[in-house]
Structures are given as C-alpha cells and as structure tokens.
Amino acid sequence: MLRTTIIATLVAACLASGPARAADAAGEVSHRKGEATGTIEGASMPLETGNPVVLNEALATGAAARLEITFLDTTRLTLGERANVTIDKFVYDGSHTRVLRLAAVGALRFISGGNKPAGAEVTVTTPVVEIGVRGTDFWFGPIDGEFGVLLVAGAVTVSNSAGSVVLDQPGQGTNIAGPGAAPGPVTQWPQQKVDRALVQVAF
C-alpha cells in the first residue's frame, strides 16, 4: 500500500508539472520469488506481485531471487539473482511500444510482447554490450567466466565500440570477455550450456 501511494504521488506530481512524466507506469510485477526491491528517487521499497513499475525505477533482486516484470505491451523481463535493471525510457501509444530502453546488470531473459511497429526502438544496455531487439526471446548474463547472449527466438544485434554480431537462429550465442572486448564469434550453443543459462532465470 505504501509503495502504491508513493508511486501515485510521484505520478500526480509529474502530471502537474506538464510534459515531464518521470514516473509513468510501464508495467507491473507479475511474478516474484525471494527478495526484490524497487528504488524510486532514492527510496527503496520491497516489491510484491501486482506492484506497478515505473519509468526510471531501479529494480533489483537478492540472493536466489527471481523477479518477472510484464510491461503494458505484454513484454516480459525476468531477472535472476543479484540482478538489476532500470527502465530508462518507455514510449507506449496504447497499442504498440515505440521505444523501450533498459539498462541491466546480471542474468536476465527478455521475451518481447505484442507487435512492434516498423521503426520501434527496443534496446538493452549492459556493462559490456548493447543489445538491439527485433521482436524476440533472448537471455543474457554471466556464464563460464564471460558475458554471454543467447537467442531463443527472433533476432538480436549485439554490439559495442569494438564490434557487432547478429544472432538470428535459435540457439545461437556469443560471448564477450569483458568491457572493451568485441563480441565473440556466433556459435550454436550446446544444450548443456543453454540449460545452464536459462536455469539462472527460471522460477
């Protein structure tokens, strides 16, 4: 109740200030296991299923925790343990998402929802690469001492200042050794590695 009241107050304040809507609702918590928090303007609160999530909110999970967010367009984002994500920008016209930008750390799975119109911009920024999304299902996070990106369905572009690769076949993945390193060759990940990746975000 306290969290809902705080969010409602922030939304009302933003609406009163004109076009700036820093606290617009982007979706809600659809599933949670273990400790998860949301931080808005420096105030951290526990997250529960059904809580709204808002623009510029920092979401984080604790040890052995999981958190699933469902956006207004039915896109689902699942955080593994000790992961965090910030909703940097979300533009939704009531039927389509025009822009979705996330900043993320840790193991996460992104499953795109709804039909994205031509020109829609959906990106996820991590400490080592930016992932451009084209209506898809993919996982990313730490694995085997590196940072990996695994495509489950659809297509993604994985890029940074050192290089870029495209994953466009289910089961393809790329590894990045660390910040400043180019994405490695695109390979078909063995099922055992796929399983180890996806279990990090499984409830």
Side-chain angles (χ1 to χ4, degrees), residues 3-118:
R3 173 184 168 80
T4 301
T5 300
I6 291 173
I7 290 176
T9 301
L10 288 170
V11 171
C14 290
L15 288 173
S17 67
R21 298 179 57 140
D24 281 348
E28 69 174 23
V29 176
S30 48
H31 202 177
R32 178 193 61 82
K33 182 180 78 171
E35 179 185 358
T37 58
T39 301
I40 306 170
E41 296 191 352
S44 295
M45 295 157 285
L47 290 170
E48 302 292 344
T49 300
N51 284 161
V53 295
V54 300
L55 193 62
N56 296 320
E57 181 171 10
L59 311 170
T61 53
R66 301 287 188 271
L67 181 69
E68 180 188 81
I69 303 301
T70 299
F71 289 88
L72 296 177
D73 68 349
T74 71
T75 290
R76 285 183 290 141
L77 183 70
T78 304
L79 287 70
E81 69 170 345
R82 296 190 177 94
N84 60 74
V85 65
T86 301
I87 306 167
D88 286 338
K89 189 169 184 178
F90 183 64
V91 179
Y92 181 68
D93 65 9
S95 58
H96 298 99
T97 294
R98 301 290 177 177
V99 180
L100 175 58
R101 295 179 190 162
L102 305 172
V105 176
L108 294 94
R109 184 172 181 176
F110 182 104
I111 302 177
S112 182
N115 294 317
K116 302 293 188 294

Side-chain angles (χ1 to χ4, degrees), residues 163-176:
S164 177
V165 298
V166 174
L167 309 180
D168 58 10
Q169 297 296 322
Q172 286 184 339
T174 182
N175 297 312
I176 303 92

